[in-house]
Amino acid sequence: MGPAWSFALVRLAAAIGVAILLGLVFGHVGRWLTGVLGLVLAWQFANLYRVQRWLKHRAHEDPPDIGGVWGDVIAIINRIYRRKQFHKRRVTQQFREFRRLSAALPDGVVLLSEQREIRWFNRTAAELLGLRRKVDVGIPLANLVRDPEFAAHLAKPGPGGVVIRGQGVQGWLALFVIPAGPQFLMLVRDVTREVRLEQMRKDFVANASHELRSPLTVISGYLDALGEDDALGPEWREPVADMRRQALRMREIVEDLLELSRLESTSDEAPMSPVDVPGLLERLVREASASAAAVPPIELDVDPGLALRGSEGELHSIASNLLSNAVKYTPVDGTITVRWSREHGGAKLAISDTGIGIAPEHLPRLTERFYRVDRARARAKGGSGLGLSIVKHGLQRHGGRLEIESEEGRGSTFTAHFPARRVIAKIGPAIKTS
């Protein structure tokens, strides 16, 4: 018990003692006790009124000068109020600093509630998305940015963002939604320049590849004629054979570039035509085994009743590129296994080998154009360096994805996953050949 309470109790006891003494002197002890206690109660009510009045007008009134317990209560309230004012000024200062920093950012920033309603945005976001501060705060963002791909990303944010056309028709915006506790933070970036540069690159590759096709055809034709001419001197036969091989490689690169450009420029999904995948895989394995003498044994394990809806040419390209990679980087005494089977939610094509394998640091970049793990080995093996990039884009057109597992020196497994909506389910026994 503090000194204030001790003093209050002593004072109350003294008042009761005085009331009893006066009652004994003048008579009627009960009346004197009631009157004195009534005065004490009135005094407490007066102090309570003063404290309440001060709490209502404390912004422009000083605290009342009351001692005892009421003085302690007023001191505690005053400390709490000053602490609250301090934290309020600190939070306000930090918020103003955050607004200044966000205004200096080149990207737009939008703070969203748990229901994806706009709570705050900076000036850049207002310019890029066409937002108005007094009108759009509190409105669901999906009502203002009407794009199906963005709506799906907003409902279920993923690790990457989406690229959409701006509110004006002039540019492109990249939107990234980041969960931050019960709310969300969205970053808006103007990527018009990057999109246009990418489009220029695609157009250049497509045009250059198309223009190179005709000259290469002429050069290859003359080289083939020279190589088959009996009058060609023996000193020219090896150089002409080298030129024919290099011309063939250039034609393969041009064809791959044209195929990749076609896949990249096509935003629509692949058609839903039935494709006999087991038959396609059997033909590819037969052709790969007969293409050269030094080919490792290829085991085929397919479900003959499992087909796909898609583009036969693109599915052929996907399987052919995966199989040719396995053949190139697997020694003759190794093994290649081609499996076509059902999986939960779809179907998968898995091509495994016991070849040289790939180090973990290379796996994320394997589907980039012209990326090679070992450039010297890749040049010796041939190829355009575009096969896995074609596979990735072909799978995207079919709603699928590519999964790569590899261990250096132990081999690799490339798995193409296809969604259930493209699977044609039929009943039939599995076929295993080797």
Side-chain angles (χ1 to χ4, degrees), residues 118-244:
I118 299 174
R119 303 182 68 176
W120 176 86
F121 51 86
N122 66 351
R123 187 181 301 112
T124 307
E127 294 173 356
L128 294 176
L129 296 175
L131 301 178
R132 296 166 294 176
R133 194 168 302 279
K134 294 183 179 180
V135 178
D136 296 332
V137 172
I139 296 178
L141 184 61
N143 293 353
L144 303 174
V145 182
R146 297 182 177 275
D147 184 273
E149 189 176 359
F150 171 69
H153 176 65
L154 184 62
K156 191 175 180 181
V162 294
V163 177
I164 65 170
R165 276 195 176 276
Q167 295 300 298
V169 192
Q170 299 89 354
W172 294 83
L173 302 176
L175 307 178
F176 304 88
V177 179
I178 306 168
Q183 53 191 2
F184 297 88
L185 189 69
M186 188 180 77
L187 302 180
V188 187
R189 183 174 301 162
D190 186 356
V191 292
T192 304
R193 183 172 179 272
E194 289 82 353
V195 170
R196 289 176 178 170
L197 286 174
E198 181 69 11
Q199 188 60 46
M200 289 173 60
R201 183 196 62 77
K202 291 179 181 179
D203 293 342
F204 170 77
V205 170
N207 294 334
S209 304
H210 183 75
E211 294 299 326
L212 284 172
R213 175 187 276 180
S214 297
L216 278 174
T217 302
V218 175
I219 293 172
S220 298
Y222 280 116
L223 288 174
D224 291 342
L226 282 173
E228 296 170 1
D229 189 356
D230 295 335
L232 185 67
E235 70 277 7
W236 283 102
R237 292 198 174 276
E238 188 61 30
V240 169
D242 287 340
M243 285 188 286
R244 291 177 68 183

Side-chain angles (χ1 to χ4, degrees), residues 229-393:
D229 189 356
D230 295 335
L232 185 67
E235 70 277 7
W236 283 102
R237 292 198 174 276
E238 188 61 30
V240 169
D242 287 340
M243 285 188 286
R244 291 177 68 183
R245 285 192 293 269
Q246 294 303 322
L248 177 61
R249 185 182 175 193
M250 289 181 67
R251 289 183 63 182
E252 291 176 351
I253 292 175
V254 168
E255 294 297 329
D256 285 347
L257 281 172
L258 287 172
E259 176 68 10
L260 185 58
S261 298
R262 185 187 66 80
L263 292 172
E264 289 180 336
S265 61
T266 305
S267 58
D268 299 332
E269 283 196 353
M272 301 294 284
S273 305
V275 179
D276 180 15
V277 178
L280 184 149
L281 293 176
E282 290 181 36
R283 290 195 303 273
L284 285 175
V285 169
R286 190 165 53 248
E287 292 169 2
S289 301
S291 60
V295 175
I298 303 175
E299 297 178 358
L300 183 62
D301 182 1
V302 301
D303 183 346
L306 189 62
L308 280 181
R309 295 183 178 94
S311 167
E312 184 170 1
E314 293 176 16
L315 292 174
H316 181 280
S317 178
I318 290 170
S320 175
N321 278 295
L322 293 178
L323 183 58
S324 64
N325 273 350
V327 171
K328 285 178 187 176
Y329 299 107
T330 303
V332 181
D333 57 349
T335 304
I336 298 173
T337 305
V338 179
R339 290 187 177 89
W340 171 243
S341 60
R342 291 176 174 86
E343 66 174 352
H344 179 68
K348 65 178 180 180
L349 169 63
I351 298 181
S352 306
D353 63 66
T354 57
I356 60 176
I358 306 165
E361 62 269 18
H362 297 292
L363 295 180
R365 300 189 60 189
L366 283 181
T367 56
E368 294 180 8
R369 304 173 188 85
F370 300 110
Y371 184 79
R372 297 182 185 275
V373 176
D374 187 338
R375 295 187 179 276
R377 187 191 296 268
R379 281 194 295 270
K381 295 288 184 180
S384 63
L386 296 169
L388 290 180
S389 185
I390 292 174
V391 169
K392 182 185 75 171
H393 286 85

